[in-house]
Amino acid sequence: MASTLLLIFSLFFTFVTLTTSANPGFILTVVNNCPYPIWPAIQPNAGHPVLERGGFALAPLTHRSFPAPAQHWSGRLWGRTGCTTHANGRLSCATGDCGGLLECDGRGGAPPATLAQFSLHHGHTDLSSYAVSLVDGFNVPMTVTPHEGHGTCPVVGCKANLLATCPDKLQVRTPQGHVVGCKSACEAFGTDELCCRNHYNSPQTCRASSYSEFFKRACPSTFTYAHDSPSLTHECSSPRELKVIFCH
């Protein structure tokens, strides 16, 4: 009898182990393929929890994985570049800075910054929507890759390094003259038309500009202005992983 119970327990333990390993749960992975450090930052939309304290450092050619929220969650992720840690513990970044903090804790980042946007666990088939936006400008190449999802699950983003081709009027430079960011036209010029504000805040009046077309030609699967094509937001059913990759 004891040996039978032992066998049953052993089989049950094996089954649970295999089931657990075969279904590890939904995870988010951030990969730094750049030859320089990146400081990823995460900002939830209102009412949603902060993930990974809102930010962390990621050395070149390393990655960090963490569990995705089990319930509906929406927010954005971006990479901060050119960051320096000061003696008082503050972190200042050339792009994407979130108030001088390593852990942004819900704060947004200073443009220009390439953004990954997410809406996880929505709809009756457990959809995860994701997109890469250059509406706030560009600071680092970024893509989002889903794994093991169903339905519309393409790789999206911007693999091109737009710092090398950024128009002069959009460039953000360090004191040494290095281009570290490429502003949006809204950030550079601040007009209602380019920012899609007031009279221009509708799909009928908010139009692409020559500046947004610069981003679109280089990275067609990204949003480049406020009312860009909604078809660029993809809905992938039950992916096992969403992987954000900086540089390629």
Side-chain angles (χ1 to χ4, degrees):
M1 180 66 176
S3 60
T4 301
L5 289 174
L6 183 61
L7 176 61
I8 292 172
F9 178 80
S10 176
L11 290 172
F12 176 76
F13 179 80
T14 301
F15 172 77
V16 169
T17 302
L18 290 173
T19 302
T20 303
S21 62
N23 299 280
F26 185 15
I27 61 172
L28 299 175
T29 297
V30 184
V31 181
N32 181 13
N33 278 343
C34 303
Y36 48 84
I38 296 286
W39 286 258
I42 306 171
Q43 182 189 30
N45 290 341
H48 296 282
V50 175
L51 307 183
E52 299 298 287
R53 299 182 181 271
F56 49 89
L58 203 55
L61 305 180
T62 63
H63 73 277
R64 178 163 173 167
S65 295
F66 48 93
Q71 306 298 324
H72 175 59
W73 185 90
S74 61
R76 52 177 50 186
L77 183 151
W78 68 98
R80 294 166 287 174
T81 64
C83 299
T84 301
T85 302
H86 301 282
N88 61 2
R90 304 289 285 180
L91 184 77
S92 61
C93 299
T95 63
D97 196 283
C98 64
L101 302 174
L102 170 61
E103 298 173 343
C104 300
D105 196 27
R107 293 169 178 80
T114 314
L115 299 175
Q117 300 176 324
F118 302 97
S119 180
L120 310 179
H121 300 302
H122 67 93
H124 65 281
T125 55
D126 189 27
L127 296 174
S128 288
S129 300
Y130 56 94
V132 172
S133 171
L134 304 182
V135 175
D136 286 346
F138 172 95
N139 68 334
V140 63
M142 173 200 282
T143 59
V144 179
T145 300
H147 291 284
E148 299 184 20
H150 307 284
T152 308
C153 304
V155 177
V156 301
C158 185
K159 294 184 179 181
N161 183 5
L162 302 187
L163 301 182
T165 56
C166 181
D168 290 346
K169 292 181 179 180
L170 304 184
Q171 291 177 0
V172 176
R173 291 178 176 268
T174 65
Q176 295 76 31
H178 303 297
V179 179
V180 293
C182 192
K183 297 179 183 178
S184 67
C186 174
E187 180 73 12
F189 305 108
T191 67
D192 283 356
E193 183 175 6
L194 291 173
C195 294
C196 292
R197 291 188 303 238
N198 299 322
H199 168 72
Y200 296 97
N201 187 18
S202 75
Q204 292 73 39
T205 57
C206 175
R207 301 292 185 183
S209 68
S210 60
Y211 295 105
S212 70
E213 286 298 320
F214 158 73
F215 292 116
K216 182 67 76 174
R217 284 192 298 272
C219 303
S221 68
T222 62
F223 284 90
T224 59
Y225 63 99
H227 289 281
D228 206 348
S229 171
S231 64
L232 291 170
T233 299
H234 303 287
E235 296 185 331
C236 185
S237 179
S238 303
R240 187 185 67 80
E241 179 185 36
L242 287 177
K243 184 177 289 185
V244 178
I245 303 176
F246 296 108
C247 302
H248 287 268

